[in-house]
Amino acid sequence: MTGSTKRDLTRRTVLGGAAASAGLACAPAAWAAATAPATDTALAPTFDAIFAAQLRLSPETATQLGLDKGANADLRAKLTDMSDAGRAAQRTQTARDIAALEAIDPQGLSPDERLDREVVLYTRRSAAAVQAFDFGAASYGPSPYVISQLTGAYQSVPDFLDTKHRIETRADADAYLLRLRAFAGEIDANTQRMRHDAAKGVVPPAFLLDTALVQMTKTRQPASDALVVTSIARRATAAKLGDGYARQAAAIYTGEVLPALDRQIAATHALRATADARAGVWKLPEGAAFYETALRTTTTASLSPDEVHRFGLDQAAALTSRLDALLKAQGMTRGTVGQRMAVLYRDPGQLYPDTDAGKERAIAYCNERLAAIRTRLPLAFDALPPYAFEVRRVPPQTEAGAASAFSQSPAIDGSRPGLVYFNLHDSAEWPKFCLSTTVYHEGLPGHQLEGGLALANTRLPTIRKVSGFSGYAEGWALYAEQLADELGTYDDDPLGRLGYLKFQLFRANRCVVDTGIHHLRWTREQAIARFVDGDGEAPGFATREVERYCATPGQACSYKLGHSTFVDLRDKAKARQGAAFDLKAFHRAVLANGRLPLDVLRQTGEQWIASTPV
């Protein structure tokens, strides 16, 4: 396929979705008509009460959204209570939320309000389903493990304090010190809960504990080098607050955080001695039920593990065929698709030096791609988010276990930009031809566009703006990668198009690998081999991804299942509307109502299609 070939917006074929949820018979209004004031019902105050309670239980969320002010100003000095009492409070609040929403008669609501009620109720019922298991935590989705390379305060709080907690005034710095003291308590609470779960037979695979221990050791630095100390020292000085805060932070870190971290490291070493190499949650008490719950709540699609596995195999076969044709067009004819992609990964011309300077160049290139795609977005969208976005490197102290790339939303008031992170633990894992499509996924027109539009949507209640569904969000982001190709970003970059399709194949194989690990009892090595042999993934990249799925079951399947839903709806719209099909109108329709469960998205999308003229 040549660079000048125009993309056909309807050429993809996808799997149809499952039956839509009951009780959502009315299609939502499109953006142009979606700003009408809410009717006089109990829904708005109920939403406000639920959201307020959620913020009280998750102070980090309040800070992340820029809402730790006014009545919630005290939250700036707190962290989530992960003790047994804190977890019980979360379960109690979830039950109250469900009861309050079920008490509201949907017949008295407008179509938009009925949709809002059902979506928020879906989130609370999903939370209750996960909270019913007396073990585990959360990261990208439900995790059976309180401590792993992706879960635990030890790996989340330092980066949060450094990048999310603002320090501009003495009150900000005082609140930081209180959070630093709370950090020690959270570490101890995690350690206690890890022991509780181990007594129930919930022990992470040995290889996850090994990576967690590496990260804990990197986190355990002398006060002079510890991120939680150097961060406040640097920023307090910049704010002209003197050096007293640095000394206080060092004292808290040395006297409280380090001992708690040492206790956790010792407990993790002790647990490691009892761990084995079995990768899947099938080995755990209630493991099969946990996986089905995690798969359903993260994908929001009504498919069984066997159905998801078969879907992934079918998608992978089709994408492998497309990659084969493109590789042959580049003169690469020998070996499997995975072997040929592995050759590209080793091309010196595609590699940034594995140095800090080389990694800075890679991040600069990503920011250039983010700026360039902005100029094409008006071709496909009639509304863009009013926020700034930028690409950064994952902090070195957590890159050993962090995801390969991820996105964080901006503050609602725009005081902090939306952030896209790349894990540059090994620059060879990110050849240049793979960077652009990931920028489009995590940034624009992916997560940051979709999430930014939701945050800026005046029709959505706040609780809907900030609620998310992995199937929708990741499905849209994968669709955004496809859209970037269709907008011509690779017309003069055939290797970039190979990178885009390679990552589509990677997401299809995620469905195969995740269900393989947790349902079909694959080993870690089998799962890694699927990526290395099938996609040509760098072994380190594949290993870190597989270990991510071991820690957060089900979520990895969200991407391709969500992508299939968006593409299927677009194909149906174009088939019905023919020459009248308007890409901007389609995007407006599927984005206007914020993130939805996939089954609900399919129903509301099909209702919109049926309502459009032919």
Side-chain angles (χ1 to χ4, degrees):
M1 196 171 298
T2 65
S4 61
T5 302
K6 296 300 180 184
R7 323 313 304 160
D8 180 353
L9 294 177
T10 63
R11 69 187 174 192
R12 277 75 174 178
T13 57
V14 291
L15 177 75
S21 299
L24 293 171
C26 296
W31 262 338
T35 56
T39 55
D40 185 16
T41 70
L43 192 63
T46 300
F47 281 167
D48 289 345
I50 292 173
F51 183 61
Q54 289 177 348
L55 289 183
R56 303 305 301 179
L57 290 171
S58 180
E60 295 92 335
T61 299
T63 296
Q64 171 81 21
L65 296 172
L67 298 177
D68 54 354
K69 58 187 70 171
N72 288 319
D74 63 308
L75 296 181
R76 193 177 305 183
K78 298 178 180 179
L79 298 175
T80 300
D81 181 1
M82 292 307 299
S83 68
D84 289 347
R87 294 167 68 98
Q90 291 174 350
R91 290 193 297 271
T92 298
Q93 187 59 50
T94 299
R96 289 173 178 165
D97 296 345
I98 292 171
L101 290 166
E102 289 179 338
I104 297 175
D105 184 359
Q107 298 306 312
L109 305 176
S110 70
D112 281 334
E113 288 176 319
R114 282 201 290 277
L115 179 64
D116 289 339
R117 174 185 174 274
E118 289 299 321
V119 171
V120 176
L121 188 54
Y122 189 106
T123 68
R124 307 321 299 143
R125 287 171 173 163
S126 294
V130 175
Q131 291 167 358
F133 295 93
D134 187 28
F135 58 83
S139 179
Y140 294 92
S143 174
Y145 310 123
V146 173
I147 298 294
S148 72
Q149 85 285 17
L150 291 178
T151 53
Y154 85 91
Q155 57 85 37
S156 63
V157 171
D159 180 61
F160 166 78
L161 288 176
D162 182 48
T163 63
K164 308 300 182 301
H165 185 107
R166 297 172 66 182
I167 298 180
E168 298 174 353
T169 68
R170 291 195 178 279
D172 296 338
D174 290 339
Y176 184 105
L177 294 177
L178 290 172
R179 273 182 159 163
L180 184 57
R181 181 162 278 125
F183 178 32
E186 290 303 272
I187 294 172
D188 280 334
N190 286 166
T191 303
Q192 178 182 354
R193 194 68 192 181
M194 179 175 68
R195 292 191 177 108
H196 165 276
D197 291 357
K200 296 173 69 69
V202 178
V203 177
F207 52 83
L208 294 192
L209 292 174
D210 288 339
T211 305
L213 284 165
V214 169
Q215 294 184 165
M216 288 177 188
T217 301
K218 287 185 176 182
T219 300
R220 192 205 180 287
Q221 298 290 323
S224 58
D225 297 325
L227 178 63
V228 292
V229 177
T230 60
S231 177
I232 189 173
R234 181 186 72 252
R235 293 187 289 151
T237 298
K240 302 187 185 322
L241 301 179
D243 59 4
Y245 286 107
R247 291 194 299 272
Q248 293 180 71
I252 295 171
Y253 177 78
T254 302
E256 300 178 42
V257 175
L258 271 184
L261 188 56
D262 285 340
R263 288 189 289 272
Q264 186 164 99
I265 291 172
T268 305
H269 274 297
L271 186 62
R272 170 63 178 82
T274 72
D276 59 38
R278 291 178 296 170
V281 296
W282 56 266
K283 69 178 183 179
L284 306 178
E286 303 181 85
F290 185 90
Y291 185 57
E292 290 182 3
T293 298
L295 189 65
R296 184 174 63 253
T297 58
T298 55
T299 67
T300 64
S302 304
L303 297 177
S304 70
D306 286 323
E307 289 172 321
V308 173
H309 192 79
R310 172 49 55 189
F311 166 75
L313 290 172
D314 292 343
Q315 291 283 302
L319 287 161
T320 298
S321 178
R322 291 183 64 192
L323 275 166
D324 179 54
L326 290 178
L327 286 163
K328 288 176 178 176
Q330 294 297 311
M332 303 180 70
T333 60
R334 299 179 61 182
T336 66
V337 164
Q339 289 168 339
R340 282 175 279 169
M341 291 302 300
V343 170
L344 280 180
Y345 261 81
R346 296 191 295 270
D347 182 352
Q350 292 292 315
L351 298 178
Y352 288 96
D354 196 28
T355 63
D356 286 339
K359 293 170 184 181
E360 288 177 7
R361 285 173 51 198
I363 295 299
Y365 175 78
C366 291
N367 277 305
E368 290 169 6
R369 293 298 87 209
L370 191 63
I373 191 67
R374 278 183 176 274
T375 65
R376 299 177 186 260
L377 296 181
L379 297 173
F381 301 95
D382 55 14
L384 298 176
Y387 298 105
F389 308 106
E390 63 183 74
V391 181
R392 295 182 183 178
R393 177 184 172 186
V394 169
Q397 69 269 16
T398 57
E399 64 187 7
S404 300
F406 54 93
S407 183
Q408 293 181 348
S409 65
I412 289 180
D413 62 3
S415 59
R416 189 190 61 258
L419 300 176
V420 172
Y421 284 95
F422 276 79
N423 188 336
L424 298 179
H425 176 71
D426 179 356
S427 294
E429 296 176 5
W430 280 111
K432 188 175 182 179
F433 74 92
C434 288
L435 291 172
S436 292
T437 196
T438 308
V439 169
Y440 306 146
H441 178 107
E442 303 291 352
L444 303 172
H447 285 313
Q448 297 292 354
L449 184 143
E450 170 265 315
L453 287 177
L455 288 177
N457 190 330
T458 58
R459 205 285 296 170
L460 293 178
T462 302
I463 196 170
R464 288 283 329 280
K465 291 183 180 186
V466 302
S467 296
F469 298 100
S470 184
Y472 181 101
E474 300 299 353
W476 171 265
L478 195 53
Y479 168 77
E481 294 187 50
Q482 174 182 323
L483 182 63
D485 179 32
E486 294 162 347
L487 291 174
T489 58
Y490 301 120
D491 284 354
D492 59 353
D493 182 14
L495 292 185
R497 180 169 289 124
L498 281 169
Y500 145 62
L501 287 173
K502 176 260 180 195
F503 275 116
Q504 291 273 327
L505 175 59
F506 169 57
R507 272 48 171 263
N509 276 328
R510 276 179 164 174
C511 293
V512 177
V513 166
D514 194 272
T515 52
I517 292 169
H518 297 294
H519 179 61
L520 300 178
R521 303 191 176 193
W522 284 15
T523 66
R524 170 178 174 268
E525 289 67 33
Q526 280 178 278
I528 293 171
R530 174 78 190 190
F531 284 132
V532 173
D533 297 341
D535 302 7
E537 297 291 357
F541 182 100
T543 298
R544 195 164 52 252
E545 284 294 313
V546 166
E547 291 182 355
R548 167 185 163 185
Y549 316 151
C550 293
T552 55
Q555 191 270 342
C557 302
S558 301
Y559 300 72
K560 206 68 179 70
L561 291 172
H563 171 256
S564 75
T565 304
F566 281 104
V567 177
D568 191 36
L569 287 171
R570 193 178 70 174
D571 287 347
K572 288 181 178 179
K574 194 163 188 181
R576 173 180 169 82
Q577 298 164 14
F581 175 77
D582 183 341
L583 183 61
K584 292 182 180 180
F586 171 75
H587 289 156
R588 187 166 60 246
V590 295
L591 291 170
N593 294 283
R595 292 170 180 165
L596 302 171
L598 289 182
D599 290 343
V600 177
L601 171 65
R602 183 171 294 278
Q603 183 186 21
T604 56
E606 289 176 347
Q607 289 170 342
W608 173 78
I609 293 168
S611 70
T612 57
V614 287

